[in-house]
């Protein structure tokens, strides 16, 4: 029955239009099985699902069809960034993305592109977080300053400057969509890390701006960006890393 549905779906257009099913195709790979990666296709009925969150669909599949399906998630609110994956060709967060089976009958889910896969939809983000550590993502202030151990206040204007930066949740959707990062992941920091670096440079409480900029002056850490702007198009938080990289290039040119 299942294969008949797939065959009809592939070769019979009328079936495609009138069918009560939609299909979820999920990239699978398990290092312990010694198999090549494969696709799992799950047929689902319209009736059960109308407009659904992708993360709910994945849970439904895991709980009712295949408990070995593996993916990351935590907050279910678009806050932690752990459910990033490639959904119908666009990097996004499974907990923010919805799917309407009446308009698209195939839902295809891959792990983030050009990342090493640990299992199924889970990528290895070690390189990404190592690069994050390189930019020293913490407040650097004078240690002998007595105010260092107290709350460091900002004016409302200084705080406003950080809008469009502090919202980044390091989901890696932007970096994993960037061809320059795909080919130079060991040299180029990528849009997410550069946006974070810019946040610390602009933060009025941080006193390490010059050395932060000097760190970025290395020929490839920032200049490998060719302004493809995929990063801005896919950011699930509607940030603009491409614009930030342009500003960083300008500031680090002095
Ligand atoms: Fe936290 Fe999706 S589960 S961002």
């Amino acid at each position: 029955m299942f294969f008949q549905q797939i065959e009809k779906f592939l070769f019979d257009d009328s079936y495609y239009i009138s069918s009560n099913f939609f299909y979820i195709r999920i990239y699978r790979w398990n290092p312990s099985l010694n198999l090549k990666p494969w696709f799992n296709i799950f047929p689902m009925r319209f009736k059960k699902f109308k407009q659904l969150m992708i993360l709910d669909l994945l849970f439904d599949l895991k709980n009712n069809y295949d408990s070995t399906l593996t993916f990351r998630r935590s907050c279910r609110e678009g806050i932690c960034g752990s459910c990033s994956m490639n959904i119908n060709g666009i990097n996004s967060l499974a907990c923010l993305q919805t799917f309407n089976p009446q308009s698209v009958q195939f839902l295809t889910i891959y792990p983030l592109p050009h990342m090493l896969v640990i299992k199924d939809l889970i990528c290895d983000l070690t390189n990404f977080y190592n690069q994050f550590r390189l930019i020293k993502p913490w407040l650097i202030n004078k240690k002998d300053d007595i105010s260092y151990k107290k709350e460091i206040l900002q004016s409302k204007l200084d705080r406003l400057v950080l809008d469009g930066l502090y919202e980044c949740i390091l989901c890696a959707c932007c970096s994993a969509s960037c061809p320059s990062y795909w080919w130079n992941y060991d040299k180029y920091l990528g849009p997410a890390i550069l946006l974070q670096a810019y946040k610390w440079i602009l933060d009025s409480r941080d006193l390490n701006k010059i050395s932060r900029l000097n760190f970025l002056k290395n020929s490839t850490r920032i200049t490998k960006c060719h302004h493809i702007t995929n990063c801005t198009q896919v950011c699930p938080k509607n940030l603009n890393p491409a614009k930030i990289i342009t500003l960083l290039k300008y500031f680090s040119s002095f």
Side-chain angles (χ1 to χ4, degrees), residues 16 24 42-43 51-52 54 60 68 74-75 81 87 96 102 109-110 148 159 173 190 201 204 208 219 241:
Y16 180 85
I24 306 180
F42 300 94
Q51 182 90 0
L52 259 191
I54 305 290
D60 191 76
T68 65
S74 179
C75 68
I87 301 164
L96 292 186
Q102 272 140 11
I109 304 179
Y110 278 99
Y148 185 69
R159 164 61 191 79
C173 284
I201 289 168
S204 62
N208 204 35
S219 59

Side-chain angles (χ1 to χ4, degrees), residues 55 73-83 93-95 169:
L55 191 61
R73 87 284 177 276
S74 179
C75 68
R76 203 180 175 275
E77 296 283 345
I79 302 291
C80 71
S82 53
C83 66
L93 297 175
C95 66
I169 54 173

Side-chain angles (χ1 to χ4, degrees), residues 131-132 134-139 154 158-168 170 189-217 221-222 239-254:
Q131 289 179 317
F132 184 49
L134 284 178
I135 64 160
K136 298 186 181 167
W138 53 81
L139 197 65
Q154 270 184 313
D158 287 340
R159 164 61 191 79
L160 204 62
V161 168
L162 303 180
D163 277 1
L165 301 170
Y166 80 91
E167 296 96 331
C168 175
L170 286 167
L189 291 178
I193 307 302
L194 289 172
L195 185 138
Q196 291 284 338
Y198 190 63
K199 183 185 77 175
W200 287 108
I201 289 168
L202 282 201
D203 195 317
S204 62
R205 299 163 299 173
D206 192 273
L207 302 178
N208 204 35
K209 298 180 194 318
I210 304 293
S211 62
R212 288 186 191 279
L213 275 171
N214 284 340
F215 171 75
L216 295 177
K217 277 184 184 166
R221 281 182 186 137
I222 187 166
L239 306 181
N240 193 346
K243 180 178 147 198
I244 303 300
I245 295 171
T246 308
L247 290 168
L248 268 179
K249 277 184 176 176
Y250 174 75
F251 289 131
S252 60
S253 64
F254 295 109

Side-chain angles (χ1 to χ4, degrees), residues 127-191:
N127 180 58
F128 182 76
Y129 285 117
N130 281 343
Q131 289 179 317
F132 184 49
R133 195 165 48 191
L134 284 178
I135 64 160
K136 298 186 181 167
W138 53 81
L139 197 65
I140 299 178
N141 211 311
K142 279 187 203 161
K143 280 191 179 163
D144 51 356
D145 187 346
I146 209 159
S147 63
Y148 185 69
K149 291 177 184 165
K150 294 181 186 170
E151 186 181 13
I152 305 173
L153 299 176
Q154 270 184 313
S155 70
K156 282 188 181 172
L157 193 62
D158 287 340
R159 164 61 191 79
L160 204 62
V161 168
L162 303 180
D163 277 1
L165 301 170
Y166 80 91
E167 296 96 331
C168 175
I169 54 173
L170 286 167
C171 63
C173 284
C174 58
S175 294
S177 73
C178 171
S180 300
Y181 189 70
W182 295 347
W183 312 130
N184 301 289
Y185 64 91
D186 52 341
K187 305 182 194 86
Y188 172 49
L189 291 178

